[in-house]
Amino acid sequence: MRMLNQRWTCLLFAQLCLLANLPAAMADETTPVRFHVVDADSNTPLPCRVYLRSAAGTDYHVKSADSAGSAVTYDVKRSAESFEKHTTVSAHPFTANLPPGDYTVTVERGKEYRLAKKTITVGTAPVEETIRLERWVNMAERGWYSGDTHVHRTVAELPNVMLAEDLNVALPLSYWVRDAYTPPAQGDKSVPAKAELIRVDATHVIWPLNTEYELFSVNGKRHTLGAVFVLNQKQPLRLAAPPVAPIAAEARRQGALLDLDKHSWPWSMMLVPVMDVDLFELSNNHIWRTQFFFKQWTIEQLPPGWEIETDGDGFTERGWTDFGLKTYYALLNCGFNMRPTAGTASGVHPVPLGFGRVYVHLPDGFSYDKWMAGLDAGQSFVTTGPMLPATFNGKPAGTTFVHDAPTSVRIEATVLSDTPLESVEIIKNGEIIRTIAPTAQTVIGNHHEQVINETIPVEGTSWIAVRCFSRPLTGDRRRFAHTAPVHITIKDRPLHPRQFETQFLTNLVKQELVRNRGVLSDDELAEYERALQVYRKLHATAIPSQ
């Protein structure tokens, strides 16, 4: 009886061992799957971004199947709902070795191709799949070229990623300093770069010499100031921050542009008047393809009465976007004629390169110098989805018109979207003055179009812009586009900000003066005092809030 029990125990142990090893054995049984991605019309192979997920929710990376090809993996996670796991691949076949089962492959290429999704079943026999990407708009043919002004990808991987995203200009922040009083070259994230244009091809280029001051500590202690970028430098910067005015002067000497990054960093509203910042990121690095994450970030700045959407957790994605737009409008009303841009911080956050991007109009064809000049001139629109080329009295966005008497502005635009449009709105001095209902849009080929032909009366000095919102096919994640403004100067009829705007800006700088006393030096605090005087002077001329 004891021998029988021993034999039974040994048999049971052997079976348990077999069962324990079974998942590993099954995992070793993989099948090669080979993919081709081509343009649906021309059958030309395309570079692209690839997501591959099993029915059980496991994500996989792919690799190039061609020795001449390349594949760059990207895996950044902020939470279980907010993550980005994909591979950007060159215009070559790519492969994955997968256990038997069902999978979904999702393929995207920037903004001008429709997303393609396909379900495949993998068994024991090799699988070969062709995925056709359908282009819904070709902006280069219309004279528009895209860029991302907040990039943390390496220069080595950018050629692959830029082509996969069809992003024309990338400005990687090679110099990145995070401690006050530290020169950029000594930043712990800095990588030396030269002032030499890197040409991926004739219409895709990298300017590698750019700097981010993103200050989280002062004198070795945690104390956040904020971030600002210096773009298109000709020489590495030797100046530390704070103070910031000398950095602005050196940037001007080098022909560089200053980009505000996010509007609600602690020092942002000081930077605008003190540095005379050029660019405002209407689509910033908190706006992702995946779920909105930074719901509590700077929620304490939320101004009362601005009707910014929130929920029980803080900002909604719509609310955060609206907060940025309304802050931009307040600055424009104060006379700070900042031009719009877009940045993702891809490389740090879970977001594809160029998810939010700025398109610049170059009717005579692409060149980097002309693109930067067009960005600086505001001949642009920002988008996370729709396309919004527009003219104002036949002139591009960014134009300034000067008149002796009241006038009008004729707006002509064709708004394009691969999903239905929710609304098109004309903004004048920060207010929605006209809404074009989506009932007028038509479906042309594989996209939606809304033709705009509106005349706007202008009684006094004003700025005017157009924005639109599109609806996704599923869910509630709307996308938007926004033109740069045009400015209309009417003699003896100046533009005045609204009191609630100047009060908001004044309060922010006053709070920072209090917070920074005992931390920053008197000379550094003087920059906040200077900004405060600017906003107080504007407040004295502001019109009463409605």
Side-chain angles (χ1 to χ4, degrees):
M1 186 68 174
R2 179 179 296 177
M3 183 176 295
L4 182 60
N5 285 340
Q6 287 176 341
R7 289 179 62 187
W8 174 255
T9 301
C10 290
L11 181 59
L12 181 60
F13 179 75
Q15 290 176 332
L16 289 172
C17 288
L18 180 61
L19 289 172
N21 289 327
L22 188 57
M26 290 178 65
D28 290 338
E29 296 175 1
T30 60
T31 300
V33 182
R34 183 182 178 94
F35 297 93
H36 305 262
V37 174
V38 299
D39 182 280
D41 292 327
S42 67
N43 216 38
T44 303
L46 290 174
C48 58
R49 172 174 13 104
V50 181
Y51 302 84
L52 183 59
R53 171 172 282 195
S54 72
T58 301
D59 295 295
Y60 293 84
H61 289 297
V62 301
K63 61 183 180 180
S64 181
D66 193 308
S67 60
S70 63
V72 174
T73 60
Y74 194 71
D75 196 345
V76 179
K77 184 175 183 179
R78 287 289 182 177
S79 71
E81 294 78 28
S82 301
F83 65 93
E84 188 70 33
K85 186 166 185 174
H86 67 250
T87 312
T88 48
V89 295
S90 58
H92 300 86
F94 53 92
T95 65
N97 292 318
L98 302 173
D102 292 330
Y103 296 85
T104 299
V105 57
T106 303
V107 179
E108 298 187 47
R109 185 169 192 251
K111 296 298 180 187
E112 300 178 26
Y113 281 84
R114 297 175 67 87
L115 174 151
K117 183 179 288 189
K118 193 170 189 178
T119 300
I120 62 172
T121 298
V122 177
T124 57
V127 178
E128 190 147 355
E129 292 284 345
T130 296
I131 297 171
R132 300 184 181 279
L133 285 184
E134 184 181 13
R135 182 187 279 277
W136 66 270
V137 68
N138 190 327
M139 294 306 292
E141 287 185 351
R142 299 167 183 254
W144 293 88
Y145 298 88
S146 63
D148 186 333
T149 62
H150 187 177
V151 177
H152 285 294
R153 307 301 290 263
T154 67
V155 171
E157 68 187 13
L158 272 173
N160 165 287
V161 183
M162 290 176 69
L163 292 178
E165 301 294 352
D166 195 19
L167 184 79
N168 300 106
V169 178
L171 300 171
L173 296 158
S174 299
Y175 290 92
W176 182 11
V177 59
R178 300 188 294 176
D179 302 307
Y181 315 125
T182 301
Q186 298 176 20
D188 61 350
K189 295 288 188 178
S190 295
V191 178
K194 295 180 180 180
E196 295 178 357
L197 189 65
I198 300 171
R199 299 182 187 276
V200 180
D201 63 21
T203 58
H204 297 84
V205 300
I206 304 162
W207 184 263
L209 185 48
N210 312 283
T211 298
E212 177 173 6
Y213 292 88
E214 186 180 28
L215 306 185
F216 292 110
S217 69
V218 177
N219 292 322
K221 295 182 180 179
R222 182 78 176 183
H223 186 84
T224 298
L225 295 177
V228 66
F229 310 148
V230 183
L231 306 176
N232 192 43
Q233 301 163 229
K234 306 306 182 290
Q235 300 169 343
L237 296 172
R238 295 184 173 86
L239 297 169
V244 296
I247 295 170
E250 178 60 17
R252 298 278 176 258
R253 188 188 71 80
Q254 294 195 27
L257 295 178
L258 296 167
D259 184 348
L260 188 64
D261 184 33
K262 289 184 289 294
H263 56 281
S264 58
W265 280 111
W267 71 354
S268 287
M269 294 304 106
M270 176 274 290
L271 298 180
V272 173
V274 171
M275 299 187 83
D276 190 20
V277 178
D278 301 290
L279 305 175
F280 186 106
E281 293 199 357
L282 286 185
S283 179
N284 57 51
N285 66 340
H286 286 189
I287 300 175
W288 304 337
R289 178 186 183 273
T290 187
Q291 294 299 310
F292 182 64
F293 176 76
F294 287 105
K295 299 177 74 68
Q296 282 291 318
W297 196 80
T298 67
I299 190 72
E300 69 280 358
Q301 284 192 21
L302 189 63
W306 276 34
E307 297 181 350
I308 303 297
E309 182 180 274
T310 59
D311 60 20
D313 298 321
F315 285 115
T316 64
E317 185 177 64
R318 291 188 182 204
W320 170 252
T321 301
D322 195 31
F323 185 24
L325 295 179
K326 288 179 176 176
T327 303
Y328 181 54
Y329 300 162
L331 293 171
L332 289 176
N333 286 342
C334 287
F336 301 110
N337 295 335
M338 303 169 74
R339 286 74 75 197
T341 189
T344 59
S346 182
V348 175
H349 287 317
V351 59
L353 181 73
F355 176 77
R357 60 182 65 190
V358 56
Y359 276 87
V360 174
H361 193 218
L362 302 177
D364 298 325
F366 178 81
S367 84
Y368 171 71
D369 289 339
K370 290 180 179 179
W371 192 90
M372 289 300 299
L375 178 69
D376 187 25
Q379 297 173 359
S380 59
F381 67 85
V382 166
T383 184
T384 60
M387 300 298 164
L388 189 47
T391 61
F392 304 79
N393 287 343
K395 301 293 184 180
T399 299
T400 296
F401 301 97
V402 179
H403 294 275
D404 291 332
T407 185
S408 62
V409 173
R410 187 73 174 176
I411 301 173
E412 296 177 285
T414 301
V415 188
L416 307 108
S417 176
D418 68 332
T419 62
L421 288 161
E422 180 180 276
S423 65
V424 182
E425 299 164 344
I426 297 175
I427 312 297
K428 178 183 174 185
N429 301 340
E431 297 182 332
I432 302 170
I433 61 165
R434 197 162 299 177
T435 299
I436 294 88
T439 53
Q441 69 185 285
T442 58
V443 178
I444 298 179
N446 60 354
H447 67 274
H448 298 257
E449 288 193 9
Q450 178 92 45
V451 175
I452 307 299
N453 199 330
E454 299 283 335
T455 298
I456 306 300
V458 180
E459 299 295 324
T461 297
S462 301
W463 61 266
I464 296 174
V466 184
R467 72 186 190 188
C468 69
F469 298 91
S470 65
R471 300 192 303 270
L473 296 176
T474 59
D476 61 353
R477 302 287 303 287
R478 68 178 183 171
R479 305 301 185 205
F480 77 95
H482 200 300
T483 71
V486 293
H487 300 271
I488 307 96
T489 300
I490 307 296
K491 184 180 179 180
D492 299 327
R493 297 192 179 198
L495 171 64
H496 294 288
R498 295 169 288 187
Q499 285 180 351
F500 74 86
E501 296 169 329
T502 53
Q503 190 65 63
F504 168 64
L505 299 172
T506 300
N507 289 343
L508 287 177
V509 179
K510 286 171 64 177
Q511 292 165 13
E512 281 308 290
L513 268 168
V514 171
R515 192 177 73 92
N516 285 305
R517 285 199 176 99
V519 178
L520 302 182
S521 70
D522 289 344
D523 288 344
E524 293 155 4
L525 289 173
E527 294 190 321
Y528 291 86
E529 293 282 5
R530 177 182 161 192
L532 182 58
Q533 292 307 311
V534 170
Y535 291 130
R536 280 176 168 166
K537 185 176 180 179
L538 287 164
H539 187 63
T541 67
I543 59 177
S545 304
Q546 298 297 321

